[in-house]
Amino acid sequence: MMLNDPATKYRPFVAVDLPDRQWPNRRIDTPPQWCSVDMRDGNQALIDPMDLERKRRFFNLLVDIGFKQIEVGFPSASQIDFDYVRELIDNDLVPDGVAIQVLTQARPHLIERTFDALKGAKKAIVHVYNATDPMFREVVFKVDKSECVNIATEATAQIRDLMAQRPETDWTFQYSPELFTSTELDFAVEIVEAVMDTYEPTVEKPMIVNLPATVEIATPNHYADQIEWFCRNVRNRESLIVSVHPHNDRGTGIAAAELAVMAGADRVEGTLFGNGERTGNVDIVTLAMNLYTQGVHPGLDFSNITPIMREVEYCNQLPVPPRHPYVGDLVFTAFSGSHQDAIKKGMNERRKHPEAMWDVPYLPIDPMDVGRSYEAVIRVNSQSGKGGVSYLLEQEHGIELPRRLSIEFSQVVQEVAERTGKEITSEMIFQAFADEYLDADQPYKLISHRLSSDPDSPHVRMEADVEIHGERRTIVGEGNGPLAAFIKALAANGVDAEIIDYHEHSRGQGSDAEAIAYVEVRLDGKAVFGVGIDGSITSASMKGVVSALNRHMAATDQAAPNVTAETLA
């Protein structure tokens, strides 16, 4: 049961004394170094850890994306990890320029085993750690500060010497004061400087100091303060690559990583889509794409993000949530009517000015940049409005509804959505459109027409063959254009119709293009829409009038006027 006063059980974090902090005024204009820890930190968090086949596939994926540093395992702790590291090296599977990273505890026999696994590697990072925060020192390991420092420096000395014995490998040393965020800052600097004194990094050959938020304990600005304080107070900062390894216990791992880079971090360790212990590691995909949307290329290639997601899902045997930033199946999809209307207008403007900066409502990134199409940007359910319906008809069926018709037809789709309680696909929308406007052929049906004109007259003569209640008739009228002549022919046969508004456009391209006409007709004092589609624009407009007439009669339960021989004459 939750406590009425949680302060009796949980202590708040203590703010860092950094009144002149600089990171809030900075922006990230270059990407950090990236290190994927999917195959180690991510792998140990899986219900079923990856087998060798999945490890091979994941490694190849990371290389294809562009990672230059990949933590491939914990070879001293797992035979599978040891064998996998040997497979990478023995079969020359690591491309030039890519460093494989391995993790080891600060224990002599485990360090020896780690170097056995790395024998013959071209480029490798050896990552050693020990816990430094008070709880682990006092409760878990029962050591004081000096003993904690000795653990770190003795491991560092052993690693330094083993590296010197194997000069064929391009080595990088990495040290992590585990649980950095809950370690006293002055002690974190003390132990890192002791490790530096032992390893003796230089500007030309720096070491990595990794400052992990092993458990996220505070707000992201606190982590940034800790990183800036450390960078400002550690000796020989220029000989260090400061790395961060945020976890996501408070759900703010992304923000913590970004603010840490603003605060001076040079490198980020994380996983694709954030898989990791508890609530996960920081998500490198989101971090990288956040940079991309600010005009900074992250140095990683997510041009085909959906296949990347599917491969990660296969290797991890965990699904990526449909609303996951940049990659989820629904992340570029809008169901809300107001969102759809804004997106539709933004996309229309984009088509007019494709060279302009990207500026489409509700879409911080162009889906095409990550290999996604516009097909699923707008989908329709009971929460949708005219914008979404119109967008799908236009994008997938070439039907550009006039505004008033769009409002009218959206109500038809809304009724279907509310009745079914499900998403309405574009095919369902088109079928509803056809049922409502295109397919009704009773009581009137246009069969054919013939036009003639007199050079001395401004009018054209229309003869139209129509079926009325299945009986074929020919009606005749004259007007200043084909559509006006057809209206006159109907008027001569008892139909009082007046054109209120008219729109047309082509549908399709080339010889197969069709004309589509939207006709708003006043019938019995009411405005009624009709739609016609035909290879001929004249036939399409006449079919639009017939569509409106049939819809009006169906709605008012009327029969067609009685057409006699006298009216036909």
Side-chain angles (χ1 to χ4, degrees):
M1 181 179 294
M2 294 181 69
L3 302 175
N4 290 330
D5 182 11
T8 62
K9 188 173 184 179
Y10 302 101
R11 66 177 67 88
F13 68 88
V14 178
V16 178
D17 184 16
L18 196 67
D20 60 340
R21 56 183 59 83
Q22 300 299 305
W23 64 261
N25 296 321
R26 297 174 184 155
R27 66 181 296 271
I28 305 172
D29 53 17
T30 57
Q33 297 179 30
W34 303 110
C35 178
S36 160
V37 295
D38 289 272
M39 302 180 68
R40 198 278 305 169
D41 210 348
N43 187 48
Q44 74 180 16
L46 298 175
I47 300 169
D48 297 309
M50 286 182 273
D51 57 20
L52 287 176
E53 186 265 341
R54 284 183 164 84
K55 279 179 171 284
R56 294 184 193 109
R57 290 178 60 159
F58 214 130
F59 182 81
N60 291 335
L61 176 67
L62 294 169
V63 169
D64 289 344
I65 290 169
F67 282 94
K68 301 302 182 185
Q69 299 175 27
I70 303 172
E71 191 166 83
V72 294
F74 201 147
S76 64
S78 164
Q79 188 63 43
I80 290 178
D81 279 14
F82 186 96
D83 292 341
Y84 180 63
V85 174
R86 290 310 318 157
E87 178 181 289
L88 288 172
I89 297 169
D90 292 339
N91 295 316
D92 197 23
L93 300 177
V94 183
D96 292 342
V98 173
I100 55 173
Q101 177 172 305
V102 295
L103 186 69
T104 180
Q105 292 176 323
R107 298 181 182 181
H109 69 289
L110 298 180
I111 293 171
E112 288 279 357
R113 177 73 167 162
T114 298
F115 276 83
D116 289 342
L118 289 172
K119 183 178 180 181
K122 297 176 187 176
K123 191 177 181 70
I125 302 169
V126 178
H127 178 191
V128 67
Y129 70 96
N130 69 312
T132 56
D133 91 320
M135 180 176 62
F136 273 73
R137 293 196 314 259
E138 299 164 9
V139 176
V140 180
F141 296 114
K142 308 291 185 183
V143 296
D144 60 21
K145 287 183 177 180
S146 63
E147 291 171 314
C148 187
V149 170
N150 286 339
I151 292 170
T153 55
E154 288 173 7
T156 299
Q158 183 185 4
I159 291 170
R160 178 200 61 203
D161 294 344
L162 288 169
M163 286 178 172
Q165 295 168 20
R166 295 165 172 81
E168 69 276 8
T169 299
D170 180 4
W171 297 106
T172 298
F173 173 60
Q174 175 171 327
Y175 171 68
S176 288
E178 191 189 12
L179 298 131
F180 164 77
T181 48
S182 51
T183 299
E184 307 95 321
L185 281 175
D186 57 350
F187 181 60
V189 168
E190 177 187 340
I191 195 168
V192 167
E193 289 181 344
V195 167
M196 293 170 67
D197 289 342
T198 303
Y199 186 74
E200 298 183 329
T202 64
V203 175
E204 296 74 25
K205 189 65 175 176
M207 63 171 272
I208 300 170
V209 58
N210 190 52
L211 304 175
T214 311
V215 178
E216 192 176 35
I217 62 167
T219 52
N221 62 295
H222 179 69
Y223 191 39
D225 281 350
Q226 291 178 308
I227 299 300
E228 182 171 333
W229 192 97
F230 179 91
C231 290
R232 287 164 61 168
N233 286 277
V234 70
R235 266 191 292 113
N236 300 327
R237 167 67 177 90
E238 66 278 4
S239 65
L240 295 177
I241 297 169
V242 174
S243 176
V244 292
H245 182 113
H247 280 250
N248 198 43
D249 299 86
R250 292 169 56 96
T252 58
I254 296 289
E258 290 179 322
L259 299 190
V261 171
M262 291 165 61
D266 309 300
R267 180 177 183 267
V268 175
E269 292 188 344
T271 62
L272 300 185
F273 312 123
N275 172 54
E277 295 271 32
R278 304 180 309 279
T279 56
N281 286 51
V282 72
D283 172 14
I284 285 184
V285 178
T286 300
L287 283 172
M289 295 312 300
N290 284 354
L291 281 178
Y292 185 82
T293 64
Q294 296 299 301
V296 178
H297 198 290
L300 301 173
D301 187 1
F302 295 110
S303 297
N304 291 297
I305 204 163
T306 300
I308 291 172
M309 175 181 66
R310 299 304 179 211
E311 187 73 348
V312 172
E313 288 179 324
Y314 169 77
C315 292
N316 284 344
Q317 301 180 72
L318 291 174
V320 174
R323 293 293 183 185
H324 194 100
Y326 300 109
V327 68
D329 288 333
L330 297 178
V331 75
F332 294 116
T333 299
F335 288 100
S336 161
S338 59
H339 289 201
Q340 292 173 343
D341 184 62
I343 291 171
K344 177 177 181 291
K345 292 172 180 174
M347 294 296 284
N348 287 340
E349 191 67 21
R350 178 73 186 171
R351 280 191 286 271
K352 297 175 185 175
H353 305 287
E355 77 290 346
M357 299 294 283
W358 179 259
D359 196 15
V360 176
Y362 298 111
L363 293 178
I365 185 174
D366 185 347
M368 299 288 284
D369 286 3
V370 290
R372 301 284 283 271
S373 71
Y374 298 134
E375 291 181 6
V377 168
I378 287 177
R379 290 162 62 176
V380 172
N381 62 15
S382 61
Q383 301 300 305
S384 307
K386 64 182 185 303
V389 172
S390 298
Y391 179 88
L392 289 178
L393 281 177
E394 180 177 343
Q395 292 296 308
E396 301 191 26
H397 301 285
I399 297 173
E400 303 171 18
L401 299 183
R403 177 173 173 76
R404 289 198 300 276
L405 178 55
S406 174
I407 295 171
E408 176 183 292
F409 180 58
S410 69
Q411 296 171 356
V412 175
V413 177
Q414 180 78 10
E415 188 279 327
V416 176
E418 291 179 351
R419 174 164 41 82
T420 62
K422 297 180 179 179
E423 179 186 354
I424 306 300
T425 65
S426 65
E427 290 75 17
M428 293 169 67
I429 291 172
F430 178 75
Q431 188 58 55
F433 182 79
D435 290 344
E436 184 70 23
Y437 298 100
L438 303 177
D439 294 345
D441 58 2
Q442 291 296 325
Y444 285 87
K445 182 178 181 180
L446 178 67
I447 306 300
S448 63
H449 71 272
R450 295 165 297 282
L451 291 172
S452 60
S453 62
D454 184 339
D456 297 326
S457 171
H459 292 148
V460 297
R461 187 172 187 273
M462 163 75 69
E463 293 184 6
D465 297 324
V466 298
E467 285 185 3
I468 306 175
H469 293 302
E471 183 178 347
R472 187 160 179 162
R473 309 285 178 86
T474 299
I475 61 175
V476 180
E478 291 186 2
N480 59 6
L483 191 56
F486 185 54
I487 292 295
K488 290 288 189 180
L490 289 172
N493 290 275
V495 178
D496 182 14
E498 176 189 356
I499 303 297
I500 302 173
D501 199 9
Y502 176 84
H503 297 269
E504 67 179 55
H505 64 80
S506 61
R507 183 173 178 242
Q509 295 180 343
S511 59
D512 294 330
E514 294 179 306
I516 182 166
Y518 312 95
V519 187
E520 190 174 11
V521 184
R522 181 173 286 111
L523 295 163
D524 296 333
K526 296 180 180 179
V528 184
F529 277 103
V531 182
I533 297 177
D534 197 274
S536 158
I537 186 59
T538 298
S539 295
S541 60
M542 294 169 67
K543 287 181 177 179
V545 173
V546 171
S547 166
L549 184 56
N550 287 334
R551 292 185 67 236
H552 174 66
M553 290 184 169
T556 56
D557 198 24
Q558 293 184 35
N562 185 31
V563 181
T564 64
E566 288 77 11
T567 59
L568 289 175

